[in-house]
Amino acid sequence: MSTQSASPMRGPEAWRRTLTARERYLAAGDPDLLPSHECGVRREIILSWRRSLLSGVDSAGTDLPRDQGATPPGRLVLAARPVLDRLACQIAGTRSWAFLADRECRLVDYVVGDRALTPLLADRGALPGARFGEDVVGTNGLGTAVEQQRPFIVAGSEHFRAHESEATTAGAPIRDPVTRRLAGLLNMNCRYAQTNELMLPYVTELAREIEARLLTCSAPAEQALLEEVARMWKRRAQPVVVVGEEVFVANAAALRLAGAADQELLRDLARGAAAAGRERTARLELGPEVTVVARCQPLAGSSSRHAAAAITLTPAEPAGLPGPAVVAAPDAAAAAAAAAA
């Protein structure tokens, strides 16, 4: 899959043509009655409009729903800070701004080129915790980049909500450099008239820099954990799980034994091994028909507060044979809570 989006529409005529196509589509009231391929609008945008409509987004809305209690991801913030500081200097004096969002597409931090933009963004609700998911505010550079799973730019009237039709927003996913899971997003924003073809590659390059810093900014235990994940993929036949307080990575062999509901049980084993400062082995019930012997090795720098461990799983011998003590899985309510964590 390409990592770059097709070029957005540019110029006043393209802006009006896209606006007309969007208004006609919304007026029809049928999500499946898509504009034709000849309408001049990128298909990615049309399909995003459809998702937005199906999600119930109000095209006339202006608010930004907010999760006020959201906790900023410390590792992402630490890695992004120097990049954002440098970006603030580079865009100083311009009517541009940039957002850093977490993996849930919630605003974590922002920088502006013109200080006069700060109260305008605050009035709009662009405060920490503000949600930019496509299912909440429709087609936009952050939310649609998540849906596309790649850098993506939304220009002017390509936005689903009329309120954003005068802006261009370009977003790039930030991925954990080892697990490749989404860690957050970075986007650049400007008025539509200032749209530049370099916006998307520029914000993509900044996102790659933050990804590289995610490794160097990790605490010792986290660095050891990430290194262990890299080694884990080389042992495909052996079921291995690498766990930390915010990380749970299992290879395919381990996933056949342990599911999402078992994460907290395995983390408890890792915390116990970290507190004792030595390897622990336990017989675990991971389900009604799955019992394993788990050998838990705490990683370098691990502690009871920042537990990180590699856990090797081996299917247990039939019941009644000698083996380590059995540790029961959590009850259904606890398992559901662990899976949702």
Side-chain angles (χ1 to χ4, degrees):
M1 179 183 291
S2 170
T3 58
Q4 298 292 329
S5 165
S7 298
M9 57 88 179
R10 294 177 63 183
E13 182 178 345
W15 187 93
R16 288 190 292 269
R17 182 176 63 244
T18 302
L19 177 65
T20 298
R22 188 187 71 196
E23 290 181 339
R24 287 176 177 172
Y25 174 59
L26 295 178
D30 183 350
D32 294 322
L33 193 60
L34 301 177
S36 71
H37 286 276
E38 291 73 37
C39 71
V41 180
R42 290 184 287 164
R43 210 63 187 171
E44 303 135 308
I45 293 297
I46 290 174
L47 294 177
S48 176
W49 290 348
R50 180 179 183 274
R51 292 192 299 269
S52 303
L53 196 58
L54 288 171
S55 295
V57 179
D58 181 4
S59 63
T62 61
D63 64 314
L64 285 172
R66 183 180 173 210
D67 292 342
Q68 297 190 43
T71 302
R75 186 163 157 252
L76 176 66
V77 172
L78 183 63
R81 188 69 266 161
V83 178
L84 291 178
D85 288 344
R86 189 176 74 247
L87 177 58
C89 294
Q90 292 172 338
I91 65 174
T94 71
R95 299 284 289 181
S96 303
W97 63 102
F99 289 152
L100 177 69
D102 64 15
R103 65 177 61 132
E104 303 297 331
C105 221
R106 296 175 299 208
L107 183 62
V108 173
D109 200 357
Y110 66 83
V111 295
V112 297
D114 184 341
R115 291 183 179 179
L117 291 170
T118 300
L120 298 179
L121 292 173
D123 288 345
R124 187 194 170 198
L127 300 167
R131 298 166 60 195
F132 286 89
E134 198 181 73
D135 62 328
V136 176
V137 297
T139 309
N140 73 95
L142 281 171
T144 307
V146 172
E147 294 293 331
Q148 293 287 325
Q149 288 293 296
R150 60 188 169 114
F152 198 83
I153 185 168
V154 179
S157 50
E158 290 181 333
H159 288 85
F160 184 77
R161 302 204 304 184
H163 185 67
E164 284 91 36
S165 292
E166 297 295 335
T168 289
T169 60
I174 300 168
R175 298 189 180 280
D176 186 292
V178 173
T179 67
R180 302 312 300 162
R181 292 179 177 176
L182 186 67
L185 300 108
L186 181 69
N187 91 323
M188 288 284 296
N189 312 275
C190 68
R191 294 189 62 81
Y192 173 68
Q194 299 172 321
T195 302
N196 187 294
E197 62 185 9
L198 297 179
M199 279 184 68
L200 190 60
Y202 180 56
V203 74
T204 300
E205 181 61 27
L206 294 178
R208 298 296 84 83
E209 183 177 346
I210 295 173
E211 288 179 347
R213 288 185 51 80
L214 282 171
L215 273 179
T216 60
C217 291
S218 300
E222 292 174 328
Q223 291 184 24
L225 187 148
L226 295 175
E227 291 168 0
E228 186 63 31
V229 170
R231 287 192 290 269
M232 181 187 75
W233 300 124
K234 300 177 182 179
R235 307 194 299 272
R236 296 180 181 275
Q238 177 68 55
V240 179
V241 177
V242 178
V243 297
E245 294 302 327
E246 297 183 1
V247 174
F248 183 94
V249 182
N251 62 11
L255 288 174
R256 288 192 285 269
L257 300 172
D262 303 311
Q263 292 187 21
E264 195 58 29
L265 180 64
L266 294 171
R267 281 199 177 93
D268 283 343
L269 182 62
R271 293 180 189 118
R278 58 181 175 82
E279 180 181 306
R280 288 189 65 193
T281 299
R283 187 181 176 109
L284 307 179
E285 291 182 354
L286 300 183
E289 299 179 358
V290 180
T291 302
V292 301
V293 174
R295 182 170 61 85
C296 180
Q297 178 64 53
L299 302 178
S302 182
S303 66
S304 57
R305 186 173 182 180
H306 298 288
I311 304 175
T312 303
L313 306 177
T314 304
E317 296 294 335
L321 294 183
V326 173
V327 180
D331 60 27

